[in-house]
Amino acid sequence: MDDPPAGRRIPPLSINIIIVGTQGDVQPFVALGLGLVRCGHTVRISTHELFRSFVTQYGLGFFPIAGDPKWIMGWATAHSNLLPHSVSELKELNTNGRAIFNSTWRCCTEYEHNHSQYLPDLLIVNPFAGAGIHLAEKLQAMSPSLPRTMHHLSSHVLCVDTC
């Protein structure tokens, strides 16, 4: 990919990467975040509390979102079509899904400790987090659509060799 014309570099952005899933889902986005930091951007990874130390050990920002990755994987394994088998399972899915959805709004509008206003310029959201385009629209932030699997990301617009 060609470098942009002189004077046409992307200005530093505040970027929030929202990830619902396992450490295998989080790891590629940490690598992406590190590349974006090298290009002068500020990056926050918003994911499950379980992955806080994994994210922060690389110096990236962190905000916790709801959801237990073990429950999510258990659900996905037991429900290959992602449909509940009973009313009680539907209620459980609704409760967990609502908690995740509500926390994705908080991770786009608050700082973790002082609850002052945080507004990202760019949202990068993995497909399991779901509400990315809606969050971006409400916040007037940019949000690229991502491929369903990370192995397709190598040809995505976000993957460039230069800043």
Side-chain angles (χ1 to χ4, degrees):
M1 179 174 262
D2 295 332
D3 283 336
R8 297 280 312 216
R9 298 271 183 198
I10 297 172
L13 300 173
S14 173
I15 301 171
N16 189 5
I17 303 175
I18 306 172
I19 308 143
V20 171
T22 65
Q23 186 166 337
D25 296 303
V26 174
Q27 284 177 318
F29 286 103
V30 167
L32 176 62
L34 291 171
L36 291 167
V37 167
R38 269 196 321 271
C39 291
H41 304 293
T42 302
V43 175
R44 168 194 273 187
I45 302 283
S46 298
T47 191
H48 311 290
E49 183 67 40
L50 181 64
F51 306 123
R52 177 187 293 269
S53 63
F54 176 71
V55 170
T56 58
Q57 74 179 332
Y58 294 102
L60 296 171
F62 179 85
F63 193 94
I65 61 170
D68 176 2
K70 292 175 186 167
W71 182 87
I72 294 167
M73 287 309 298
W75 177 269
T77 301
H79 303 84
S80 59
N81 61 2
L82 301 181
L83 296 175
H85 298 137
S86 67
V87 172
S88 64
E89 286 186 353
L90 179 61
K91 288 179 181 178
E92 182 182 25
L93 179 62
N94 185 44
T95 299
N96 284 288
R98 187 177 304 274
I100 291 170
F101 182 80
N102 289 337
S103 66
T104 59
W105 176 251
R106 285 188 56 240
C107 82
C108 291
T109 58
E110 296 178 9
Y111 285 99
E112 183 178 8
H113 298 293
N114 63 14
H115 302 288
S116 63
Q117 190 173 25
Y118 165 81
L119 293 173
D121 302 306
L122 173 67
L123 295 178
I124 300 172
V125 184
N126 81 330
F128 295 118
I133 193 68
H134 306 292
L135 293 166
E137 181 180 20
K138 181 71 176 171
L139 297 168
Q140 298 181 353
M142 298 175 284
S143 185
S145 63
L146 290 179
R148 290 275 178 208
T149 58
M150 289 304 291
H151 70 273
H152 295 295
L153 190 56
S154 61
S155 61
H156 194 273
V157 67
L158 288 175
C159 296
V160 294
D161 292 333
T162 61
C163 298

PDB file of all heavy atoms in Angstrom, residues 85-117:
ATOM      1  N   HIS A  85     -32.481 -23.504  23.733  1.00  0.00           N
ATOM      2  CA  HIS A  85     -33.302 -24.706  23.662  1.00  0.00           C
ATOM      3  C   HIS A  85     -34.541 -24.630  24.538  1.00  0.00           C
ATOM      4  O   HIS A  85     -35.394 -25.503  24.464  1.00  0.00           O
ATOM      5  CB  HIS A  85     -32.479 -25.941  24.062  1.00  0.00           C
ATOM      6  CG  HIS A  85     -31.331 -26.191  23.144  1.00  0.00           C
ATOM      7  ND1 HIS A  85     -30.087 -26.540  23.605  1.00  0.00           N
ATOM      8  CD2 HIS A  85     -31.220 -26.125  21.798  1.00  0.00           C
ATOM      9  CE1 HIS A  85     -29.259 -26.695  22.592  1.00  0.00           C
ATOM     10  NE2 HIS A  85     -29.922 -26.444  21.480  1.00  0.00           N
ATOM     11  N   SER A  86     -34.623 -23.616  25.402  1.00  0.00           N
ATOM     12  CA  SER A  86     -35.759 -23.511  26.315  1.00  0.00           C
ATOM     13  C   SER A  86     -35.961 -22.047  26.709  1.00  0.00           C
ATOM     14  O   SER A  86     -35.110 -21.190  26.456  1.00  0.00           O
ATOM     15  CB  SER A  86     -35.503 -24.349  27.575  1.00  0.00           C
ATOM     16  OG  SER A  86     -34.428 -23.785  28.312  1.00  0.00           O
ATOM     17  N   VAL A  87     -37.080 -21.788  27.367  1.00  0.00           N
ATOM     18  CA  VAL A  87     -37.375 -20.432  27.836  1.00  0.00           C
ATOM     19  C   VAL A  87     -36.345 -20.008  28.875  1.00  0.00           C
ATOM     20  O   VAL A  87     -35.878 -18.864  28.874  1.00  0.00           O
ATOM     21  CB  VAL A  87     -38.807 -20.348  28.401  1.00  0.00           C
ATOM     22  CG1 VAL A  87     -39.050 -19.003  29.074  1.00  0.00           C
ATOM     23  CG2 VAL A  87     -39.829 -20.583  27.296  1.00  0.00           C
ATOM     24  N   SER A  88     -35.950 -20.910  29.763  1.00  0.00           N
ATOM     25  CA  SER A  88     -34.953 -20.547  30.782  1.00  0.00           C
ATOM     26  C   SER A  88     -33.610 -20.206  30.137  1.00  0.00           C
ATOM     27  O   SER A  88     -32.926 -19.285  30.575  1.00  0.00           O
ATOM     28  CB  SER A  88     -34.792 -21.646  31.828  1.00  0.00           C
ATOM     29  OG  SER A  88     -34.279 -22.815  31.236  1.00  0.00           O
ATOM     30  N   GLU A  89     -33.227 -20.920  29.083  1.00  0.00           N
ATOM     31  CA  GLU A  89     -31.983 -20.597  28.363  1.00  0.00           C
ATOM     32  C   GLU A  89     -32.111 -19.248  27.650  1.00  0.00           C
ATOM     33  O   GLU A  89     -31.148 -18.490  27.581  1.00  0.00           O
ATOM     34  CB  GLU A  89     -31.634 -21.689  27.364  1.00  0.00           C
ATOM     35  CG  GLU A  89     -31.092 -22.938  28.004  1.00  0.00           C
ATOM     36  CD  GLU A  89     -30.622 -23.950  26.970  1.00  0.00           C
ATOM     37  OE1 GLU A  89     -30.841 -23.748  25.759  1.00  0.00           O
ATOM     38  OE2 GLU A  89     -30.014 -24.946  27.396  1.00  0.00           O
ATOM     39  N   LEU A  90     -33.295 -18.968  27.130  1.00  0.00           N
ATOM     40  CA  LEU A  90     -33.525 -17.678  26.481  1.00  0.00           C
ATOM     41  C   LEU A  90     -33.375 -16.540  27.495  1.00  0.00           C
ATOM     42  O   LEU A  90     -32.747 -15.522  27.209  1.00  0.00           O
ATOM     43  CB  LEU A  90     -34.908 -17.638  25.844  1.00  0.00           C
ATOM     44  CG  LEU A  90     -35.294 -16.323  25.155  1.00  0.00           C
ATOM     45  CD1 LEU A  90     -34.335 -16.000  24.018  1.00  0.00           C
ATOM     46  CD2 LEU A  90     -36.721 -16.400  24.651  1.00  0.00           C
ATOM     47  N   LYS A  91     -33.903 -16.717  28.695  1.00  0.00           N
ATOM     48  CA  LYS A  91     -33.774 -15.702  29.742  1.00  0.00           C
ATOM     49  C   LYS A  91     -32.305 -15.520  30.139  1.00  0.00           C
ATOM     50  O   LYS A  91     -31.844 -14.394  30.338  1.00  0.00           O
ATOM     51  CB  LYS A  91     -34.606 -16.086  30.963  1.00  0.00           C
ATOM     52  CG  LYS A  91     -36.087 -15.936  30.726  1.00  0.00           C
ATOM     53  CD  LYS A  91     -36.885 -16.352  31.953  1.00  0.00           C
ATOM     54  CE  LYS A  91     -38.378 -16.208  31.680  1.00  0.00           C
ATOM     55  NZ  LYS A  91     -39.183 -16.632  32.821  1.00  0.00           N
ATOM     56  N   GLU A  92     -31.576 -16.628  30.258  1.00  0.00           N
ATOM     57  CA  GLU A  92     -30.150 -16.558  30.601  1.00  0.00           C
ATOM     58  C   GLU A  92     -29.369 -15.820  29.514  1.00  0.00           C
ATOM     59  O   GLU A  92     -28.548 -14.949  29.811  1.00  0.00           O
ATOM     60  CB  GLU A  92     -29.604 -17.975  30.791  1.00  0.00           C
ATOM     61  CG  GLU A  92     -28.154 -18.032  31.183  1.00  0.00           C
ATOM     62  CD  GLU A  92     -27.649 -19.456  31.310  1.00  0.00           C
ATOM     63  OE1 GLU A  92     -28.208 -20.379  30.692  1.00  0.00           O
ATOM     64  OE2 GLU A  92     -26.645 -19.629  32.019  1.00  0.00           O
ATOM     65  N   LEU A  93     -29.659 -16.140  28.274  1.00  0.00           N
ATOM     66  CA  LEU A  93     -28.996 -15.470  27.151  1.00  0.00           C
ATOM     67  C   LEU A  93     -29.338 -13.981  27.145  1.00  0.00           C
ATOM     68  O   LEU A  93     -28.463 -13.133  26.950  1.00  0.00           O
ATOM     69  CB  LEU A  93     -29.413 -16.118  25.832  1.00  0.00           C
ATOM     70  CG  LEU A  93     -28.817 -15.524  24.560  1.00  0.00           C
ATOM     71  CD1 LEU A  93     -27.302 -15.647  24.556  1.00  0.00           C
ATOM     72  CD2 LEU A  93     -29.413 -16.202  23.339  1.00  0.00           C
ATOM     73  N   ASN A  94     -30.593 -13.648  27.385  1.00  0.00           N
ATOM     74  CA  ASN A  94     -31.016 -12.250  27.412  1.00  0.00           C
ATOM     75  C   ASN A  94     -30.325 -11.489  28.534  1.00  0.00           C
ATOM     76  O   ASN A  94     -29.858 -10.363  28.334  1.00  0.00           O
ATOM     77  CB  ASN A  94     -32.541 -12.172  27.569  1.00  0.00           C
ATOM     78  CG  ASN A  94     -33.033 -10.748  27.467  1.00  0.00           C
ATOM     79  OD1 ASN A  94     -32.613  -9.994  26.602  1.00  0.00           O
ATOM     80  ND2 ASN A  94     -33.919 -10.382  28.371  1.00  0.00           N
ATOM     81  N   THR A  95     -30.232 -12.092  29.714  1.00  0.00           N
ATOM     82  CA  THR A  95     -29.580 -11.438  30.857  1.00  0.00           C
ATOM     83  C   THR A  95     -28.114 -11.165  30.562  1.00  0.00           C
ATOM     84  O   THR A  95     -27.614 -10.055  30.768  1.00  0.00           O
ATOM     85  CB  THR A  95     -29.715 -12.312  32.123  1.00  0.00           C
ATOM     86  OG1 THR A  95     -31.101 -12.468  32.411  1.00  0.00           O
ATOM     87  CG2 THR A  95     -29.002 -11.690  33.304  1.00  0.00           C
ATOM     88  N   ASN A  96     -27.407 -12.177  30.070  1.00  0.00           N
ATOM     89  CA  ASN A  96     -25.986 -12.010  29.760  1.00  0.00           C
ATOM     90  C   ASN A  96     -25.774 -11.048  28.596  1.00  0.00           C
ATOM     91  O   ASN A  96     -24.880 -10.206  28.636  1.00  0.00           O
ATOM     92  CB  ASN A  96     -25.343 -13.364  29.470  1.00  0.00           C
ATOM     93  CG  ASN A  96     -25.106 -14.156  30.718  1.00  0.00           C
ATOM     94  OD1 ASN A  96     -24.230 -13.833  31.508  1.00  0.00           O
ATOM     95  ND2 ASN A  96     -25.911 -15.179  30.939  1.00  0.00           N
ATOM     96  N   GLY A  97     -26.579 -11.178  27.567  1.00  0.00           N
ATOM     97  CA  GLY A  97     -26.454 -10.294  26.415  1.00  0.00           C
ATOM     98  C   GLY A  97     -26.722  -8.839  26.769  1.00  0.00           C
ATOM     99  O   GLY A  97     -26.019  -7.934  26.323  1.00  0.00           O
ATOM    100  N   ARG A  98     -27.726  -8.602  27.602  1.00  0.00           N
ATOM    101  CA  ARG A  98     -28.051  -7.239  28.018  1.00  0.00           C
ATOM    102  C   ARG A  98     -26.907  -6.624  28.836  1.00  0.00           C
ATOM    103  O   ARG A  98     -26.564  -5.456  28.661  1.00  0.00           O
ATOM    104  CB  ARG A  98     -29.344  -7.222  28.817  1.00  0.00           C
ATOM    105  CG  ARG A  98     -29.840  -5.831  29.144  1.00  0.00           C
ATOM    106  CD  ARG A  98     -31.176  -5.887  29.884  1.00  0.00           C
ATOM    107  NE  ARG A  98     -32.202  -6.607  29.161  1.00  0.00           N
ATOM    108  CZ  ARG A  98     -32.997  -6.072  28.230  1.00  0.00           C
ATOM    109  NH1 ARG A  98     -32.863  -4.803  27.934  1.00  0.00           N
ATOM    110  NH2 ARG A  98     -33.912  -6.796  27.627  1.00  0.00           N
ATOM    111  N   ALA A  99     -26.316  -7.436  29.723  1.00  0.00           N
ATOM    112  CA  ALA A  99     -25.192  -6.935  30.533  1.00  0.00           C
ATOM    113  C   ALA A  99     -24.014  -6.547  29.640  1.00  0.00           C
ATOM    114  O   ALA A  99     -23.392  -5.492  29.827  1.00  0.00           O
ATOM    115  CB  ALA A  99     -24.770  -7.985  31.557  1.00  0.00           C
ATOM    116  N   ILE A 100     -23.704  -7.379  28.655  1.00  0.00           N
ATOM    117  CA  ILE A 100     -22.609  -7.072  27.727  1.00  0.00           C
ATOM    118  C   ILE A 100     -22.947  -5.808  26.939  1.00  0.00           C
ATOM    119  O   ILE A 100     -22.137  -4.887  26.830  1.00  0.00           O
ATOM    120  CB  ILE A 100     -22.324  -8.256  26.784  1.00  0.00           C
ATOM    121  CG1 ILE A 100     -21.719  -9.419  27.572  1.00  0.00           C
ATOM    122  CG2 ILE A 100     -21.402  -7.844  25.643  1.00  0.00           C
ATOM    123  CD1 ILE A 100     -21.632 -10.716  26.793  1.00  0.00           C
ATOM    124  N   PHE A 101     -24.156  -5.753  26.397  1.00  0.00           N
ATOM    125  CA  PHE A 101     -24.566  -4.597  25.598  1.00  0.00           C
ATOM    126  C   PHE A 101     -24.477  -3.309  26.405  1.00  0.00           C
ATOM    127  O   PHE A 101     -23.925  -2.303  25.938  1.00  0.00           O
ATOM    128  CB  PHE A 101     -25.997  -4.806  25.075  1.00  0.00           C
ATOM    129  CG  PHE A 101     -26.475  -3.694  24.208  1.00  0.00           C
ATOM    130  CD1 PHE A 101     -26.087  -3.629  22.876  1.00  0.00           C
ATOM    131  CD2 PHE A 101     -27.309  -2.704  24.701  1.00  0.00           C
ATOM    132  CE1 PHE A 101     -26.516  -2.596  22.059  1.00  0.00           C
ATOM    133  CE2 PHE A 101     -27.747  -1.664  23.899  1.00  0.00           C
ATOM    134  CZ  PHE A 101     -27.359  -1.611  22.574  1.00  0.00           C
ATOM    135  N   ASN A 102     -24.994  -3.299  27.618  1.00  0.00           N
ATOM    136  CA  ASN A 102     -24.949  -2.094  28.457  1.00  0.00           C
ATOM    137  C   ASN A 102     -23.519  -1.686  28.788  1.00  0.00           C
ATOM    138  O   ASN A 102     -23.195  -0.504  28.830  1.00  0.00           O
ATOM    139  CB  ASN A 102     -25.751  -2.290  29.735  1.00  0.00           C
ATOM    140  CG  ASN A 102     -27.243  -2.315  29.479  1.00  0.00           C
ATOM    141  OD1 ASN A 102     -27.727  -1.796  28.469  1.00  0.00           O
ATOM    142  ND2 ASN A 102     -27.984  -2.923  30.378  1.00  0.00           N
ATOM    143  N   SER A 103     -22.653  -2.657  29.012  1.00  0.00           N
ATOM    144  CA  SER A 103     -21.269  -2.310  29.349  1.00  0.00           C
ATOM    145  C   SER A 103     -20.507  -1.796  28.128  1.00  0.00           C
ATOM    146  O   SER A 103     -19.556  -1.029  28.278  1.00  0.00           O
ATOM    147  CB  SER A 103     -20.544  -3.485  30.002  1.00  0.00           C
ATOM    148  OG  SER A 103     -20.380  -4.557  29.105  1.00  0.00           O
ATOM    149  N   THR A 104     -20.929  -2.177  26.920  1.00  0.00           N
ATOM    150  CA  THR A 104     -20.246  -1.626  25.738  1.00  0.00           C
ATOM    151  C   THR A 104     -20.552  -0.138  25.595  1.00  0.00           C
ATOM    152  O   THR A 104     -19.719   0.616  25.108  1.00  0.00           O
ATOM    153  CB  THR A 104     -20.596  -2.377  24.436  1.00  0.00           C
ATOM    154  OG1 THR A 104     -21.999  -2.327  24.206  1.00  0.00           O
ATOM    155  CG2 THR A 104     -20.109  -3.801  24.470  1.00  0.00           C
ATOM    156  N   TRP A 105     -21.713   0.305  26.031  1.00  0.00           N
ATOM    157  CA  TRP A 105     -21.997   1.741  26.023  1.00  0.00           C
ATOM    158  C   TRP A 105     -21.103   2.456  27.022  1.00  0.00           C
ATOM    159  O   TRP A 105     -20.507   3.488  26.721  1.00  0.00           O
ATOM    160  CB  TRP A 105     -23.475   2.008  26.330  1.00  0.00           C
ATOM    161  CG  TRP A 105     -23.771   3.474  26.434  1.00  0.00           C
ATOM    162  CD1 TRP A 105     -24.060   4.173  27.562  1.00  0.00           C
ATOM    163  CD2 TRP A 105     -23.745   4.434  25.376  1.00  0.00           C
ATOM    164  NE1 TRP A 105     -24.232   5.502  27.277  1.00  0.00           N
ATOM    165  CE2 TRP A 105     -24.047   5.694  25.930  1.00  0.00           C
ATOM    166  CE3 TRP A 105     -23.498   4.360  24.006  1.00  0.00           C
ATOM    167  CZ2 TRP A 105     -24.112   6.860  25.180  1.00  0.00           C
ATOM    168  CZ3 TRP A 105     -23.564   5.520  23.258  1.00  0.00           C
ATOM    169  CH2 TRP A 105     -23.863   6.743  23.833  1.00  0.00           C
ATOM    170  N   ARG A 106     -20.982   1.897  28.223  1.00  0.00           N
ATOM    171  CA  ARG A 106     -20.128   2.509  29.244  1.00  0.00           C
ATOM    172  C   ARG A 106     -18.678   2.590  28.780  1.00  0.00           C
ATOM    173  O   ARG A 106     -18.004   3.593  29.015  1.00  0.00           O
ATOM    174  CB  ARG A 106     -20.214   1.721  30.553  1.00  0.00           C
ATOM    175  CG  ARG A 106     -21.501   1.946  31.313  1.00  0.00           C
ATOM    176  CD  ARG A 106     -21.485   1.315  32.706  1.00  0.00           C
ATOM    177  NE  ARG A 106     -20.346   1.801  33.459  1.00  0.00           N
ATOM    178  CZ  ARG A 106     -19.370   1.022  33.940  1.00  0.00           C
ATOM    179  NH1 ARG A 106     -19.389  -0.274  33.770  1.00  0.00           N
ATOM    180  NH2 ARG A 106     -18.382   1.552  34.614  1.00  0.00           N
ATOM    181  N   CYS A 107     -18.188   1.551  28.107  1.00  0.00           N
ATOM    182  CA  CYS A 107     -16.776   1.564  27.694  1.00  0.00           C
ATOM    183  C   CYS A 107     -16.512   2.595  26.612  1.00  0.00           C
ATOM    184  O   CYS A 107     -15.366   2.943  26.357  1.00  0.00           O
ATOM    185  CB  CYS A 107     -16.308   0.173  27.275  1.00  0.00           C
ATOM    186  SG  CYS A 107     -16.721  -0.320  25.598  1.00  0.00           S
ATOM    187  N   CYS A 108     -17.567   3.105  25.983  1.00  0.00           N
ATOM    188  CA  CYS A 108     -17.415   4.129  24.948  1.00  0.00           C
ATOM    189  C   CYS A 108     -17.664   5.538  25.472  1.00  0.00           C
ATOM    190  O   CYS A 108     -17.485   6.509  24.729  1.00  0.00           O
ATOM    191  CB  CYS A 108     -18.386   3.869  23.807  1.00  0.00           C
ATOM    192  SG  CYS A 108     -17.990   2.416  22.857  1.00  0.00           S
ATOM    193  N   THR A 109     -18.099   5.655  26.725  1.00  0.00           N
ATOM    194  CA  THR A 109     -18.481   6.982  27.209  1.00  0.00           C
ATOM    195  C   THR A 109     -17.877   7.352  28.556  1.00  0.00           C
ATOM    196  O   THR A 109     -18.044   8.478  29.004  1.00  0.00           O
ATOM    197  CB  THR A 109     -20.016   7.079  27.336  1.00  0.00           C
ATOM    198  OG1 THR A 109     -20.484   6.061  28.236  1.00  0.00           O
ATOM    199  CG2 THR A 109     -20.686   6.933  25.990  1.00  0.00           C
ATOM    200  N   GLU A 110     -17.182   6.433  29.221  1.00  0.00           N
ATOM    201  CA  GLU A 110     -16.659   6.706  30.556  1.00  0.00           C
ATOM    202  C   GLU A 110     -15.201   6.292  30.677  1.00  0.00           C
ATOM    203  O   GLU A 110     -14.752   5.366  30.008  1.00  0.00           O
ATOM    204  CB  GLU A 110     -17.422   5.909  31.631  1.00  0.00           C
ATOM    205  CG  GLU A 110     -18.866   6.246  31.777  1.00  0.00           C
ATOM    206  CD  GLU A 110     -19.546   5.373  32.817  1.00  0.00           C
ATOM    207  OE1 GLU A 110     -18.858   4.618  33.544  1.00  0.00           O
ATOM    208  OE2 GLU A 110     -20.781   5.440  32.898  1.00  0.00           O
ATOM    209  N   TYR A 111     -14.499   6.974  31.597  1.00  0.00           N
ATOM    210  CA  TYR A 111     -13.208   6.485  32.058  1.00  0.00           C
ATOM    211  C   TYR A 111     -13.486   5.523  33.200  1.00  0.00           C
ATOM    212  O   TYR A 111     -14.471   5.676  33.930  1.00  0.00           O
ATOM    213  CB  TYR A 111     -12.320   7.636  32.533  1.00  0.00           C
ATOM    214  CG  TYR A 111     -11.744   8.429  31.383  1.00  0.00           C
ATOM    215  CD1 TYR A 111     -12.323   9.634  30.994  1.00  0.00           C
ATOM    216  CD2 TYR A 111     -10.646   7.963  30.680  1.00  0.00           C
ATOM    217  CE1 TYR A 111     -11.809  10.358  29.935  1.00  0.00           C
ATOM    218  CE2 TYR A 111     -10.130   8.681  29.615  1.00  0.00           C
ATOM    219  CZ  TYR A 111     -10.715   9.869  29.254  1.00  0.00           C
ATOM    220  OH  TYR A 111     -10.212  10.576  28.200  1.00  0.00           O
ATOM    221  N   GLU A 112     -12.657   4.542  33.382  1.00  0.00           N
ATOM    222  CA  GLU A 112     -12.944   3.489  34.348  1.00  0.00           C
ATOM    223  C   GLU A 112     -13.053   3.983  35.785  1.00  0.00           C
ATOM    224  O   GLU A 112     -13.975   3.622  36.500  1.00  0.00           O
ATOM    225  CB  GLU A 112     -11.883   2.387  34.274  1.00  0.00           C
ATOM    226  CG  GLU A 112     -12.196   1.249  35.220  1.00  0.00           C
ATOM    227  CD  GLU A 112     -11.211   0.117  35.156  1.00  0.00           C
ATOM    228  OE1 GLU A 112     -10.162   0.235  34.486  1.00  0.00           O
ATOM    229  OE2 GLU A 112     -11.478  -0.898  35.799  1.00  0.00           O
ATOM    230  N   HIS A 113     -12.140   4.823  36.231  1.00  0.00           N
ATOM    231  CA  HIS A 113     -12.090   5.151  37.654  1.00  0.00           C
ATOM    232  C   HIS A 113     -12.815   6.427  38.044  1.00  0.00           C
ATOM    233  O   HIS A 113     -13.360   6.523  39.119  1.00  0.00           O
ATOM    234  CB  HIS A 113     -10.634   5.193  38.133  1.00  0.00           C
ATOM    235  CG  HIS A 113      -9.959   3.874  37.972  1.00  0.00           C
ATOM    236  ND1 HIS A 113     -10.319   2.769  38.710  1.00  0.00           N
ATOM    237  CD2 HIS A 113      -8.998   3.461  37.125  1.00  0.00           C
ATOM    238  CE1 HIS A 113      -9.584   1.727  38.339  1.00  0.00           C
ATOM    239  NE2 HIS A 113      -8.774   2.129  37.374  1.00  0.00           N
ATOM    240  N   ASN A 114     -12.854   7.416  37.183  1.00  0.00           N
ATOM    241  CA  ASN A 114     -13.465   8.680  37.615  1.00  0.00           C
ATOM    242  C   ASN A 114     -14.787   8.979  36.916  1.00  0.00           C
ATOM    243  O   ASN A 114     -15.400   9.996  37.184  1.00  0.00           O
ATOM    244  CB  ASN A 114     -12.489   9.848  37.439  1.00  0.00           C
ATOM    245  CG  ASN A 114     -12.117  10.075  35.989  1.00  0.00           C
ATOM    246  OD1 ASN A 114     -12.742   9.554  35.076  1.00  0.00           O
ATOM    247  ND2 ASN A 114     -11.082  10.875  35.769  1.00  0.00           N
ATOM    248  N   HIS A 115     -15.219   8.112  36.030  1.00  0.00           N
ATOM    249  CA  HIS A 115     -16.506   8.240  35.346  1.00  0.00           C
ATOM    250  C   HIS A 115     -16.672   9.555  34.585  1.00  0.00           C
ATOM    251  O   HIS A 115     -17.783   9.955  34.277  1.00  0.00           O
ATOM    252  CB  HIS A 115     -17.678   8.033  36.314  1.00  0.00           C
ATOM    253  CG  HIS A 115     -17.638   6.704  36.979  1.00  0.00           C
ATOM    254  ND1 HIS A 115     -17.917   5.543  36.308  1.00  0.00           N
ATOM    255  CD2 HIS A 115     -17.333   6.359  38.249  1.00  0.00           C
ATOM    256  CE1 HIS A 115     -17.795   4.525  37.138  1.00  0.00           C
ATOM    257  NE2 HIS A 115     -17.429   4.984  38.325  1.00  0.00           N
ATOM    258  N   SER A 116     -15.565  10.258  34.318  1.00  0.00           N
ATOM    259  CA  SER A 116     -15.679  11.450  33.481  1.00  0.00           C
ATOM    260  C   SER A 116     -15.900  10.996  32.039  1.00  0.00           C
ATOM    261  O   SER A 116     -15.758   9.826  31.704  1.00  0.00           O
ATOM    262  CB  SER A 116     -14.428  12.324  33.601  1.00  0.00           C
ATOM    263  OG  SER A 116     -13.299  11.628  33.137  1.00  0.00           O
ATOM    264  N   GLN A 117     -16.245  11.929  31.178  1.00  0.00           N
ATOM    265  CA  GLN A 117     -16.629  11.570  29.820  1.00  0.00           C
ATOM    266  C   GLN A 117     -15.431  11.159  28.970  1.00  0.00           C
ATOM    267  O   GLN A 117     -14.390  11.798  28.966  1.00  0.00           O
ATOM    268  CB  GLN A 117     -17.351  12.735  29.158  1.00  0.00           C
ATOM    269  CG  GLN A 117     -17.979  12.344  27.842  1.00  0.00           C
ATOM    270  CD  GLN A 117     -18.832  13.450  27.267  1.00  0.00           C
ATOM    271  OE1 GLN A 117     -18.629  14.623  27.565  1.00  0.00           O
ATOM    272  NE2 GLN A 117     -19.770  13.087  26.427  1.00  0.00           N
TER     273      GLN A 117
END
